[in-house]
Amino acid sequence: MTTGRTATRGRRPGAPDTRADILAAARALFAARGFGGTTIRAVAAEAGVDPALVHHYFGSKADLFVASLALPVDPRAVLAPVADGDVDGAAERLLRTMLAVWDDPDHRLALVATVRALLDPSGPRLFADGFLAVVIGPLGRALGIDHPDRRMALVASQVVGVLLLRYLLEVEPLASMPAESVVATYAPTVQRYLTGPLP
Amino acid sequence: MTTGRTATRGRRPGAPDTRADILAAARALFAARGFGGTTIRAVAAEAGVDPALVHHYFGSKADLFVASLALPVDPRAVLAPVADGDVDGAAERLLRTMLAVWDDPDHRLALVATVRALLDPSGPRLFADGFLAVVIGPLGRALGIDHPDRRMALVASQVVGVLLLRYLLEVEPLASMPAESVVATYAPTVQRYLTGPLP
């Protein structure tokens, strides 16, 4: 796993490439061991820096995980406003927010690459252990709903299907549907998973 | 693309391996060109046999496509009874049928491999052009619902999400939920897509 690149280059901690080295190390470790199996200490060792420097640059392991996804936006920041306001309108806000990010052609390539990495079932459980715990679970708790993990897994099962068919597999008519039609189609489903009765 | 294996072996048409050669050629061509871009004639040429022999062994191009998926069951045969009976119970029948096949541990490996091939966004549009047209669309028409292609795309967006999270990504609590709870959770959603109002 250790490449030795940082050691042979002999740069000082904090030099311009240190941040990139830490990110590369984080990506390699999350991809090999998953979110749960990766520690800040291991990432620091792989990058040849002190663990304190990893915290200094990236904050928590969750922050480092999100940074390693190389998304065009921080999904936690984008989704935070979804929790503001009436919980009965949360599904509509969630879908509208998500579609605005995905429908932006400047974002598409990076998002598709990230989703493919997260959903790759041959790799570590980056979606189940990482993205759900770091991004989707906290949104459920911010919404104040009961059974947040169970409900957010149901929400994810619908949202992932929409993303996959609309953007990655380009299934018609979903691929060409105006965003507001997609919101109107799926909001009742997602709202039921958020606040409706559970069997 | 042509391997020349059949020619160098000099077997007679109809010899034991001809069927396997045709299947291998079909798999290679569907994977390279997609369902829409593949013809029976091209498969026959790739396998070094007469097109009539491909029809004789496998029937239509749709039949050959399903055979090439190497599924443990023919999804068209499994799903056919879903169209029998009241359309208001179709979602429940569809989900129960699907879960019975997927929950069978003897089927799991083959199903996961097929879903990964169908959903691979780097490949040809095997899902959008092949599976939807050959398996899912006909079910919508057999159900006699309006806008069958649009509605079945919505159904697929939910069903694909469930399959992905429950079986491939093993997201809890979906992964361990009893089949009947999964049916009860998703039947209202799928039924709305089949027969509810469309925006």
Side-chain angles (χ1 to χ4, degrees), chain A residues 8-93:
Chain A
T8 53
R9 282 194 212 148
R11 282 185 282 90
R12 295 182 313 282
D17 284 345
T18 304
R19 202 176 174 285
D21 288 340
I22 294 169
L23 260 190
R27 251 180 236 123
L29 285 176
F30 286 130
R33 304 179 188 173
F35 178 74
T38 299
T39 61
I40 290 271
R41 178 174 297 274
V43 171
E46 169 74 11
V49 302
D50 192 87
L53 201 65
V54 179
H55 284 295
H56 170 72
Y57 275 117
F58 292 100
S60 66
K61 185 170 85 164
D63 296 328
L64 181 63
F65 176 70
V66 170
S68 80
L69 295 177
L71 287 163
V73 296
D74 182 331
R76 299 169 302 175
V78 168
L79 292 174
V82 171
D84 296 338
D86 194 346
V87 74
D88 293 332
E92 220 174 285
R93 292 196 298 279

Side-chain angles (χ1 to χ4, degrees), chain B residues 4-122:
Chain B
R5 285 187 300 114
T6 50
T8 53
R9 281 195 212 146
R11 282 186 283 90
R12 295 183 313 280
D17 283 346
T18 304
R19 204 177 174 282
D21 289 340
I22 295 170
L23 259 190
R27 252 181 234 121
L29 285 177
F30 286 131
R33 306 179 187 173
F35 178 73
T38 299
T39 60
I40 290 271
R41 179 174 296 273
V43 171
E46 168 75 11
V49 301
D50 190 87
L53 201 65
V54 178
H55 284 295
H56 170 73
Y57 275 118
F58 292 101
S60 67
K61 186 171 85 163
D63 296 328
L64 180 63
F65 176 70
V66 170
S68 81
L69 295 177
L71 287 163
V73 295
D74 183 331
R76 300 170 300 175
V78 168
L79 292 174
V82 170
D84 297 335
D86 195 349
V87 73
D88 293 332
E92 219 174 287
R93 291 196 297 277
L94 171 61
L95 288 163
R96 191 167 290 128
T97 300
M98 216 188 63
L99 287 164
V101 173
W102 274 87
D103 282 345
D104 183 335
D106 290 346
H107 294 159
R108 187 70 59 85
L109 264 179
L111 290 172
V112 165
T114 303
V115 165
R116 288 177 61 175
L118 286 172
L119 299 187
D120 182 356
S122 69

Side-chain angles (χ1 to χ4, degrees), chain A residues 116 119 121-122 125 128 132 150 153-154 157-158 160-161 164-165 168-171 173 184-186 188-189 192-193 199, chain B residues 116 119 121-122 125 127 132 150 153-154 157-158 160-161 164-165 168-171 173 184-186 188-189 192-193 199:
Chain A
R116 288 175 62 174
L119 299 188
S122 68
R125 297 154 49 87
L132 269 177
R150 183 169 168 199
L154 302 184
S157 76
Q158 178 61 89
V160 161
L164 205 59
L165 265 66
L168 279 76
L169 303 177
E170 299 177 358
V171 169
T185 300
Y186 289 104
T189 297
R192 187 169 68 82
Y193 295 159
Chain B
R116 288 177 61 175
L119 299 187
S122 69
R125 299 155 48 86
F127 184 77
L132 270 177
R150 182 167 169 203
L154 302 183
S157 75
Q158 177 60 91
V160 161
L164 206 59
L165 266 66
L168 278 75
L169 303 176
E170 299 177 357
V171 169
T185 299
Y186 289 104
T189 297
R192 187 168 70 80
Y193 296 159

Side-chain angles (χ1 to χ4, degrees), chain A residues 99-164:
Chain A
L99 286 164
V101 173
W102 273 86
D103 282 345
D104 183 335
D106 290 346
H107 294 159
R108 188 69 61 84
L109 264 180
L111 290 171
V112 166
T114 303
V115 164
R116 288 175 62 174
L118 285 172
L119 299 188
D120 183 357
S122 68
R125 297 154 49 87
L126 285 182
F127 183 78
D129 294 341
F131 200 75
L132 269 177
V134 168
V135 175
I136 299 178
L139 175 61
R141 284 184 287 281
L143 286 166
I145 54 179
D146 61 357
H147 308 291
D149 289 338
R150 183 169 168 199
R151 290 183 180 279
M152 293 313 283
L154 302 184
V155 170
S157 76
Q158 178 61 89
V159 168
V160 161
V162 175
L163 295 183
L164 205 59

